[in-house]
Amino acid sequence: MAKLFSGIQPSGEIHIGNYCGAIRNWVRLMDQYECIFCIVDYHALTAQYDIPTMQKRIHDAARVNIACGIDPKRAILFVQSQVPEHTELAWIFNTVTPMGDLARMTQFKEKSKQNEENINAGLFTYPVLQAADILLYKAGAVPVGEDQIQHIELTREVARKFNARFGELFPEPAHLVPKEGARIMGMDGKSKMSKSLNNYIGVLESRDEVWKKLAPAVTDENRKRRTDVGNPDICNIYSLHKAFSPEETVETVNRECRVAGIGCVDCKKMLHQSMMTTLEPIQERAAELAQQPALVDQILEEGAARAGAIATATMTEVRSAIGVR
Ligand code: AQP
C-alpha cells in the first residue's frame, strides 16, 4: 500500500477549515493508503506561542483528530518532536534547497507581513522541514488544503534535487486536495480561515457559539435587502453549504437565493443545521476522549514508536547516501 503523510500545527483550536481541507479527507483516505498523521509542533515554534499551554494544544489536536475519525488502528498518529529524525533530515534538505524558491513562498510572505516583529529563519525554512516530514516516510501522497499546494510542489523539488545529487532515494509526492472545502474562508469572506487570524469556527464550538459567528457573517455584499436577488457564486455562506450540506440543500440554496426565495438569514440557519449535524457527533466523541487523557497519550506514544522505526530506516539510507556515518 502506498504511503500518505499529512500534518497539522498545534497552534490553536482546530477549525472547520482544517477539518474540510485536511482532516475529513484524511479519514476518507485511511483505507486506500498506509497513513501517517502528525501533530507538527516544531512548525508551531515559528510563530509566537504560549509555552505553558503547548502540551495542552498538542493533546487537544490529537484528541480532535481522533474524534474526527482518525483511527489509530488504521493510521499512525504522533507528535513531530518525538521523532528527532524530522529535524535531522530538514538540515540535510536545507543544503539542497535554493533560497530563491523559499523566498517565493506565499505563506512566508503572508506570515512575514502578519508578524513583522518576528520574521525568523524558521519561518523561512518552514517548507524544508515540511519536505522532511513527508519524505522521511517516503510518502507518495499528501492530502492538504489549497494553501499548502505550493509547499508540496517545493517538496517535489527538494526530492528531485536530493535524488540528483545523492542518488534516487525519495519519491515525488502528489498533493491531494478535496473537491469542496479546499479553501474555507473566514467569516469576513475575504481572508482564509486561520487559527492565527481568529476568524474561524472551531470544530468543538457549541450550537450557540457557531450561530453567533454565522449570524453576522458576510454574504453577497450586493444583496442589501431581503427582496434583492443574490448571487451564490460570490457568497461565502454558499461555499460553506457546498462543504457541509447535503446536495439537495445546496441545490435549494443555489436556486432560491437567485430569485430571492430565501433570505440570507434563512440560508445561514440551513447552514447552521448542516454544520451542527457534522460537528455534534465529533464533539460527543471529543468529550468522551477528554475523560480518557491516558488513552490519547498512549495512542501518541505508540504512534511515535511506529513512525520512529520508519524514520530510523530512512535516515540510515540518507546518511549512507550523503557520505556520513
Ligand atoms: N481555511 C482553510 N481551508 C482549507 N484548508 C485549510 N487548512 C488550513 N486552513 C484551511 C489545511 O489544514 C491543514 C493543517 O493546517 P496547519 O495547521 O498545518 O496550518 P495552516 O495551514 O497554517 O492552518 P491555519 O489554521 O491557518 O494555522 P495558523 O493560523 O496557525 O497558521 C493543512 O492541510 C491546511 O492546508
Side-chain angles (χ1 to χ4, degrees):
M1 219 189 248
K3 287 211 185 73
L4 174 152
F5 179 95
S6 201
I8 187 159
Q9 295 187 69
S11 48
E13 257 183 87
I14 291 185
H15 54 70
I16 58 169
N18 300 134
Y19 177 72
C20 295
I23 304 170
R24 181 166 63 180
N25 219 11
W26 299 358
V27 174
R28 288 175 184 151
L29 292 163
M30 264 190 311
D31 290 328
Q32 294 169 43
Y33 291 89
E34 189 182 331
C35 288
I36 302 159
F37 300 121
C38 187
I39 315 293
V40 289
D41 50 351
Y42 277 159
H43 282 279
L45 263 55
T46 57
Q48 289 296 347
Y49 68 99
D50 184 51
I51 301 167
T53 50
M54 180 62 140
Q55 282 308 313
K56 182 182 182 317
R57 281 194 302 282
I58 292 171
H59 187 95
D60 284 350
R63 183 168 63 95
V64 172
N65 270 284
I66 301 164
C68 286
I70 298 302
D71 176 359
K73 290 198 183 68
R74 290 186 291 150
I76 295 176
L77 178 67
F78 75 108
V79 180
Q80 183 186 34
S81 60
Q82 300 307 295
V83 179
E85 285 86 352
H86 285 250
T87 41
E88 187 182 354
L89 185 57
W91 172 255
I92 295 162
F93 282 168
N94 268 330
T95 67
V96 296
T97 309
M99 296 271 284
D101 286 3
L102 292 174
R104 272 201 301 278
M105 294 295 113
T106 308
Q107 181 172 298
F108 172 67
K109 290 184 199 159
E110 282 174 359
K111 299 242 158 166
S112 301
K113 256 189 247 152
Q114 283 165 23
N115 302 293
E116 274 175 357
E117 71 297 341
N118 182 24
I119 307 175
N120 58 75
L123 198 59
F124 189 65
T125 57
Y126 184 111
V128 182
L129 179 56
Q130 194 170 347
D133 297 337
I134 297 162
L135 296 176
L136 192 52
Y137 302 97
K138 299 189 181 175
V142 191
V144 285
E146 205 178 87
D147 59 322
Q148 292 297 327
I149 294 177
Q150 200 184 30
H151 286 176
I152 312 307
E153 283 165 358
L154 186 81
T155 296
R156 290 197 281 275
E157 179 65 13
V158 170
R160 277 195 293 275
K161 288 258 188 309
F162 181 97
N163 291 347
R165 175 138 191 238
F166 300 112
E168 203 67 29
L169 197 62
F170 293 113
E172 290 182 32
H175 53 263
L176 306 179
V177 175
K179 200 164 147 269
E180 296 300 343
R183 187 176 180 81
I184 298 285
M185 304 305 279
M187 291 300 99
D188 62 358
K190 291 186 177 71
S191 42
K192 187 195 82 134
M193 185 174 285
S194 258
K195 299 185 208 90
S196 50
L197 293 180
N198 201 8
N199 62 354
Y200 60 82
I201 291 180
V203 166
L204 297 187
E205 287 193 89
S206 70
R207 200 165 259 274
D208 286 353
E209 286 166 331
V210 172
W211 180 247
K212 272 191 200 124
K213 292 186 177 178
L214 275 184
V218 174
T219 54
D220 167 7
E221 286 179 304
N222 299 322
R223 192 177 186 193
K224 309 271 187 239
R225 289 174 301 266
R226 167 70 180 78
T227 47
D228 292 344
V229 297
N231 180 1
D233 298 333
I234 54 167
C235 177
N236 190 28
I237 298 300
Y238 180 62
S239 302
L240 289 168
H241 266 295
K242 287 197 278 184
F244 281 97
S245 295
E247 216 172 306
E248 223 183 293
T249 309
V250 176
E251 278 166 22
T252 305
V253 166
N254 188 12
R255 190 181 59 241
E256 295 301 317
C257 172
R258 289 178 198 278
V259 295
I262 57 168
C264 293
V265 176
D266 305 319
C267 182
K268 286 174 177 176
K269 280 186 182 155
M270 290 158 84
L271 175 63
H272 185 225
Q273 187 48 47
S274 301
M275 266 189 192
M276 296 321 296
T277 301
T278 303
L279 298 183
E280 278 173 347
I282 295 173
Q283 294 173 358
E284 277 166 32
R285 286 194 293 274
E288 282 164 25
L289 285 166
Q291 304 303 314
Q292 302 163 276
L295 175 64
V296 175
D297 290 342
Q298 190 194 339
I299 289 168
L300 292 176
E301 216 171 287
E302 286 172 8
R306 289 164 68 196
I310 306 171
T312 307
T314 304
M315 284 314 296
T316 303
E317 291 179 293
V318 170
R319 285 197 203 98
S320 161
I322 66 172
V324 304
R325 276 174 195 253

